[in-house]
C-alpha cells in the first residue's frame, strides 16, 4: 500500500466512495442494517434512498409473524436491547405489495430472510430469485429472539454450512450470511459460509443480553433475553470483524454500533469492505448521511482516492491474505 | 416530518415529579395535530441512545417559528437529566409523528379525559376543539399539587371538572367515577377522548362501551425509532395482532384495541 503525501491540495480531493463487492456495486460503502429501516418507506422523508449505498430489509419470513409480546425494547448504557421477534407481513405480502412500490433510485436492496426450517429458507431463496429489484439476500442465521430457526443455524459451523449450501443452490442471487457473535466459533462459521458459496458475510448481529426492571423486579423485556446493539457493542463487533476478515477471502460487511464516520473507518481499517448502520438511526435519523460524509472527510484528510486505499490497513492478517490472492 | 436542532427557552419544575419544558423551533410546529408526538433527544447524554417520545401540551406561533411546550414526568435517567437543563441549551427534536385525535362530526360534542401527564395532548386537543364544539374537560390527579396549569385550564370555554384522589382539589375520587355519573346525567352522544394511565383508560373504555359512545385513546409503549420501522412499540389490537404506537397511533379507536 503506497503512502500518499498529505498536502493541502487534498482538500480539493474528491474521494471515490464507490464500493465494489464483486457481486454488488454500491455507490458508497454504507448499507442500513436489517430491522432498523423497515422496507425503506418509513424513513423516506429523512433518509433519501438516493444517498445510500444500500439497505437491508426487515427480516422477512415465509409466513407472516406477529412478533413478541411487549416490552420489546429497553435502553441500556450506550446501547439498546431488543426482542422484536421478527414481526413481518411474510414473503408474499413483501413481494406483491411492498416490492413494486419501492423507488430505489440506485440504492441496492438486500432482502434479509429468516426461517424456522431449512425448507423455509430454501423456499424463500427460490422465490426471491424472480424479484428483479433484489440485489442480494442476507440470510439471517443469527436472530436471537425467536424460538425456532434463526440463531440455531448460526452457532455451529456444520449446521450453518449445510443450510447455506442449500440456500446458495436455490437462488442465482448473491447470498450474504449474517453471522451471530454469540458463539466462540464465529470464524469457523464464516469459513463454512465461504465454503457454502456465500458471496459475503455480514457481522455482527446483536449480542445476547438482558436487563431487569427495578420498578417491577422482573426482566425488562417480555422475552427475558434480547439482542444488544448500539455503541456499547462496537469494540466487541470490531474485534470479530478483524478476526473474520483475516480468515476469509470473501468480502466482510462490518456491523455493530457504528454511528460516526470514524466508527465506519475503524471497521474498514479492520478489513470490512462495506459497513451497516442500524441503531444509530434511532438516536438520529441523519446519522447514516453523517457517516458517509465522515468517511469522505477522512479520505480527504488522508489523501485516499478510493476505499481500497485503506480497507484492511490495520489488519496484517487481512493484508497477507489479499497479497496471496492477487498472486 | 422534520428533524430540527431547536433550543430550550424555558424549563420549569412544577413539583419533584413534573416539569414543563419550552422549546423554540424554526419550522417544527406547523400542522402539528393534537395527539401527535415528537421524539426528543436528551442533549449531552449520548449514552442515552434513544429519543424520548412526548406529546406537546401547547404549540404557539412566535415571531419567527414556534414555541412547543411539553409536560413531562421525571421517571428515568432521561427525564431527570432533562429537568436539569437550562434555557439556551440546544436540543434536537423530530416530529410531528404518529396519528393524532380525530375531531368529532360537525357540531358534535366532545368529552375529554386526562390523567397525569395525559394532560398534554388532551389540553392541546381542548384548545383546538373549544371554538367549534361543546367540550367537557375532565382532569384527575393524585392531589392538588399534581393538578397543573389550572388557571389556563379554567380559562378554556368548556365545562371543567377537576378531581383528586385525596379530595385536596375539586371532586374527591378517581376521574372516571365522576365522569360516569355525569355521562349518565347528561345523555347525548358525545365522542370521548382519553389519555392517562392504563387503569384510567380501561375504566373509560368500560363506560364508553356501556353507553355506546365512541372513544379515542392515546396509548404509550416503550419506543425505539418513532417512525414505524423498528416495530418495538407494539400494542395489542382486538384482531389478535399488534399495532405500532408510533405509526398506527398513538391515538387509536378504543374498540379496535386491547387495553
Amino acid at each position: 500500500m503506497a503512502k500518499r503525501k498529505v498536502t493541502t491540495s487534498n482538500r480539493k480531493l474528491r474521494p471515490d466512495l464507490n464500493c465494489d463487492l464483486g457481486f454488488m456495486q454500491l455507490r458508497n460503502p454504507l448499507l442500513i442494517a436489517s430491522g432498523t429501516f423497515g422496507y425503506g418507506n418509513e424513513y423516506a422523508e429523512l433518509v433519501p434512498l438516493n444517498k445510500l449505498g444500500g439497505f437491508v430489509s426487515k427480516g422477512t419470513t415465509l409466513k407472516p409473524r406477529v412478533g413478541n409480546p411487549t416490552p420489546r425494547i429497553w435502553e441500556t448504557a450506550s446501547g439498546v436491547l431488543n426482542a422484536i421477534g421478527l414481526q413481518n407481513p411474510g414473503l408474499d405480502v413483501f413481494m406483491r405489495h411492498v416490492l413494486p412500490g419501492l423507488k430505489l433510485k440506485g440504492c441496492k436492496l438486500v432482502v434479509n430472510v429468516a426461517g424456522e426450517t431449512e425448507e423455509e429458507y430454501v423456499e424463500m431463496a427460490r422465490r426471491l430469485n424472480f424479484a428483479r429489484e433484489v440485489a442480494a439476500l442476507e440470510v439471517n442465521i443469527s436472530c436471537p429472539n425467536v424460538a425456532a430457526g434463526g440463531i440455531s443455524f448460526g452457532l455451529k459451523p456444520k449446521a450453518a454450512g449445510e443450510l447455506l449450501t442449500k440456500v446458495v443452490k436455490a437462488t442465482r442471487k448473491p447470498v450474504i450470511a449474517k453471522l451471530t457473535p454469540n458463539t466462540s466459533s464465529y470464524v469457523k462459521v464464516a469459513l463454512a459460509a465461504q465454503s457454502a458459496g456465500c458471496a459475503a458475510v455480514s457481522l455482527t448481529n446483536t449480542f445476547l443480553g438482558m436487563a431487569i426492571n427495578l420498578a417491577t423486579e422482573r426482566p425488562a423485556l417480555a422475552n427475558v433475553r434480547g439482542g444488544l446493539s448500539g455503541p456499547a457493542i462496537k469494540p466487541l463487533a470490531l474485534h470479530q470483524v478483524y478476526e473474520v476478515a483475516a480468515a476469509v477471502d470473501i468480502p466482510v460487511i462490518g456491523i455493530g454500533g457504528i454511528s460516526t464516520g470514524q466508527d465506519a473507518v475503524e471497521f474498514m481499517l479492520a478489513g470490512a469492505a462495506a459497513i451497516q448502520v442500524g441503531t444509530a438511526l434511532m438516536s438520529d435519523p441523519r446519522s447514516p448521511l453523517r457517516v458517509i460524509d465522515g468517511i469522505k472527510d477522512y479520505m480527504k484528510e488522508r489523501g485516499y482516492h478510493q476505499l481500497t486505499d485503506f480497507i484492511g490497513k490495520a489488519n496484517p492478517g487481512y493484508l497477507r491474505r489479499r497479497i496471496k490472492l492477487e498472486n | 416530518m422534520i428533524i430540527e436542532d431547536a433550543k430550550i427557552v424555558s424549563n420549569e419544575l412544577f413539583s419533584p415529579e413534573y416539569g414543563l419544558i419550552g422549546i423554540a423551533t424554526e419550522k417544527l410546529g406547523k400542522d402539528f395535530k393534537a395527539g401527535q408526538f415528537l421524539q426528543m433527544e436528551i442533549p449531552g447524554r449520548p449514552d442515552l441512545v434513544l429519543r424520548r417520545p412526548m406529546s406537546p401540551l401547547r404549540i404557539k406561533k412566535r415571531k419567527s417559528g414556534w414555541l412547543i411546550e411539553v409536560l413531562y414526568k421525571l421517571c428515568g435517567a432521561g427525564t431527570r437529566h432533562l429537568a436539569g437543563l437550562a434555557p439556551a441549551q440546544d436540543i434536537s427534536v423530530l416530529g410531528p409523528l404518529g396519528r393524532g385525535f380525530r375531531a368529532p362530526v360537525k357540531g358534535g360534542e366532545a368529552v375529554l379525559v386526562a390523567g397525569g401527564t395525559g394532560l398534554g395532548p388532551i389540553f392541546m386537543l381542548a384548545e383546538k376543539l373549544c371554538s367549534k364544539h361543546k367540550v367537557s374537560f375532565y382532569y384527575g390527579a393524585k392531589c392538588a399539587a399534581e393538578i397543573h396549569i389550572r388557571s389556563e385550564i379554567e380559562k378554556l370555554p368548556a365545562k371543567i371538572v377537576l378531581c383528586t384522589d385525596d379530595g385536596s382539589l375539586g371532586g374527591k375520587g378517581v376521574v372516571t367515577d365522576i365522569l360516569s355519573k355525569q355521562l349518565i346525567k347528561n345523555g347525548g352522544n358525545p365522542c370521548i377522548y382519553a389519555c392517562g394511565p392504563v387503569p384510567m383508560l380501561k375504566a373509560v373504555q368500560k363506560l364508553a362501551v356501556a353507553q355506546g359512545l365512541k372513544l379515542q385513546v392515546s396509548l404509550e409503549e416503550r419506543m425505539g425509532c418513532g417512525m414505524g420501522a423498528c416495530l418495538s412499540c407494539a400494542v395489542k389490537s382486538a384482531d389478535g395482532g399488534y399495532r405500532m404506537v408510533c405509526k398506527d397511533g398513538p391515538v387509536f379507536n378504543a374498540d379496535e384495541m386491547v387495553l
Side-chain angles (χ1 to χ4, degrees):
Chain A
M1 202 157 295
K3 251 194 183 167
R4 285 192 179 85
K5 243 185 169 176
V6 183
T7 63
T8 46
S9 67
N10 284 339
R11 286 186 198 144
K12 286 185 199 151
L13 182 84
R14 297 181 71 112
D16 176 7
L17 263 72
N18 276 298
C19 176
D20 184 359
L21 296 176
F23 62 95
M24 180 165 73
Q25 278 66 44
L26 306 171
R27 70 181 136 218
N28 64 55
L30 183 138
L31 299 125
I32 307 283
S34 178
T36 61
F37 205 58
Y39 290 112
N41 296 321
E42 287 78 4
Y43 275 97
E45 285 178 60
L46 299 173
V47 187
L49 292 183
N50 64 11
K51 299 267 195 244
L52 303 175
F55 80 88
V56 188
S57 78
K58 169 75 193 159
T60 302
T61 50
L62 193 57
K63 294 185 195 107
R65 284 185 64 103
V66 293
N68 287 335
T70 57
R72 293 177 173 185
I73 190 166
W74 196 262
E75 188 180 64
T76 61
S78 298
V80 176
L81 279 166
N82 88 79
I84 309 298
L86 286 176
Q87 177 178 341
N88 80 95
L91 188 68
D92 266 347
V93 170
F94 170 68
M95 290 187 72
R96 278 187 209 170
H97 301 292
V98 181
L99 261 189
L102 274 180
K103 294 196 175 61
L104 289 166
K105 298 173 185 163
C107 171
K108 293 293 158 71
L109 167 65
V110 177
V111 177
N112 183 291
V113 294
E116 290 186 14
T117 61
E118 283 190 351
E119 290 70 32
E120 285 185 1
Y121 279 102
V122 166
E123 175 68 16
M124 278 188 283
R126 197 175 286 142
R127 285 208 218 161
L128 283 162
N129 223 353
F130 303 103
R132 249 185 333 119
E133 305 88 336
V134 177
L137 307 184
E138 185 177 67
V139 179
N140 181 345
I141 51 169
S142 43
C143 178
N145 297 325
V146 292
I151 198 169
S152 60
F153 290 105
L155 292 172
K156 299 227 162 72
K158 188 163 173 274
E162 283 170 9
L163 171 73
L164 292 167
T165 302
K166 287 178 188 161
V167 174
V168 168
K169 272 194 191 131
T171 182
R172 285 189 303 272
K173 301 281 184 197
V175 172
I176 304 165
K178 184 163 182 182
L179 308 185
T180 174
N182 298 302
T183 167
S184 54
S185 314
Y186 59 89
V187 173
K188 285 182 185 153
V189 174
L191 287 167
Q194 175 172 284
S195 307
C198 288
V201 287
S202 56
L203 66 152
T204 69
N205 202 324
T206 53
F207 286 74
L208 263 180
M210 76 177 292
I212 309 270
N213 180 352
L214 290 187
T216 60
E217 299 189 327
R218 303 275 309 144
L221 295 172
N223 192 52
V224 180
R225 55 195 62 78
L228 182 65
S229 63
I233 70 165
K234 200 196 89 185
L236 309 174
L238 182 65
H239 172 243
Q240 295 204 359
V241 165
Y242 181 90
E243 297 278 310
V244 170
V248 299
D249 299 331
I250 52 179
V252 174
I253 301 171
I255 322 168
I258 297 175
S259 59
T260 65
Q262 283 107 318
D263 293 337
V265 168
E266 280 190 54
F267 274 84
M268 296 172 88
L269 287 167
I275 50 102
Q276 293 182 12
V277 171
T279 303
L281 267 174
M282 296 188 191
S283 309
D284 195 326
R286 296 166 296 190
S287 359
L289 304 184
R290 285 183 184 156
V291 169
I292 295 167
D293 287 342
I295 297 170
K296 204 187 280 172
D297 290 345
Y298 178 81
M299 291 172 74
K300 276 187 196 171
E301 207 176 283
R302 293 275 172 158
Y304 295 136
H305 292 259
Q306 52 205 18
L307 301 173
T308 46
D309 289 350
F310 68 99
I311 285 174
K313 201 176 169 187
N315 189 341
Y318 171 92
L319 294 176
R320 275 198 297 275
R321 184 162 281 280
R322 296 296 131 168
I323 291 163
K324 247 193 240 164
L325 281 177
E326 276 162 30
N327 296 333
Chain B
M1 182 193 313
I2 296 168
I3 185 161
E4 197 179 317
D5 294 316
K7 251 189 180 42
I8 296 174
V9 289
S10 61
N11 194 9
E12 182 192 349
L13 274 187
F14 288 145
S15 70
E17 275 191 80
Y18 286 92
L20 183 72
I21 191 166
I23 298 169
T25 61
E26 205 176 293
K27 290 182 186 143
L28 180 55
K30 195 172 176 256
D31 302 325
F32 211 119
K33 293 192 183 71
Q36 287 187 302
F37 69 97
L38 41 86
Q39 282 272 62
M40 205 185 280
E41 155 203 44
I42 303 297
R45 287 295 301 271
D47 56 320
L48 303 177
V49 295
L50 295 179
R51 287 171 177 254
R52 297 323 193 237
M54 298 194 195
S55 288
L57 170 121
R58 186 164 39 199
I59 297 180
K60 286 185 204 154
K61 185 89 188 79
R62 303 167 85 224
K63 256 188 212 156
S64 61
W66 304 82
L67 173 68
I68 301 178
E69 289 177 289
V70 181
L71 178 71
Y72 62 95
K73 188 175 182 184
L74 282 70
C75 46
T79 41
R80 277 199 299 271
H81 184 79
L82 196 66
L85 295 176
Q89 166 74 51
D90 291 329
I91 186 168
S92 162
V93 283
L94 165 65
L97 298 169
R99 297 176 66 200
F101 293 105
R102 276 77 73 189
V105 291
K106 209 177 164 191
E109 200 182 318
V111 170
L112 277 47
V113 191
T117 42
L119 175 66
I122 292 291
F123 181 78
M124 185 161 156
L125 178 68
E127 285 205 311
K128 296 223 166 154
L129 292 185
C130 273
S131 58
K132 290 180 188 156
H133 301 270
K134 189 183 163 201
V135 173
S136 313
F137 190 103
Y138 292 80
Y139 174 27
K142 269 188 250 162
C143 56
E146 291 193 2
I147 294 280
H148 307 300
I149 60 162
R150 184 179 161 195
S151 61
E152 283 155 86
I153 292 170
E154 286 176 339
K155 272 184 224 149
L156 290 169
K159 178 186 158 186
I160 309 293
V161 181
L162 303 179
C163 55
T164 49
D165 296 352
D166 63 0
S168 52
L169 185 98
K172 182 176 176 176
V174 290
V175 66
T176 41
D177 288 344
I178 292 158
L179 172 69
S180 158
K181 285 173 205 147
Q182 304 259 354
L183 275 181
I184 293 165
K185 202 173 91 185
N186 296 348
N189 188 27
C191 283
I192 311 179
Y193 300 86
C195 184
V198 172
M200 183 199 99
L201 296 180
K202 279 186 177 169
V204 178
Q205 187 182 35
K206 219 169 143 189
L207 290 177
V209 170
Q211 315 254 342
L213 299 175
K214 282 193 179 141
L215 167 64
Q216 293 176 29
V217 290
S218 175
L219 301 182
E220 264 191 322
E221 185 50 67
R222 297 258 163 196
M223 193 177 284
C225 66
M227 311 280 293
C230 76
L231 309 183
S232 297
C233 57
V235 279
K236 272 192 182 144
S237 57
D239 61 11
Y242 287 106
R243 298 285 180 278
M244 293 303 136
V245 167
C246 70
K247 188 132 192 224
D248 305 316
V251 177
F252 295 94
N253 291 323
D255 56 357
E256 292 165 18
M257 307 307 292
V258 181
L259 298 180

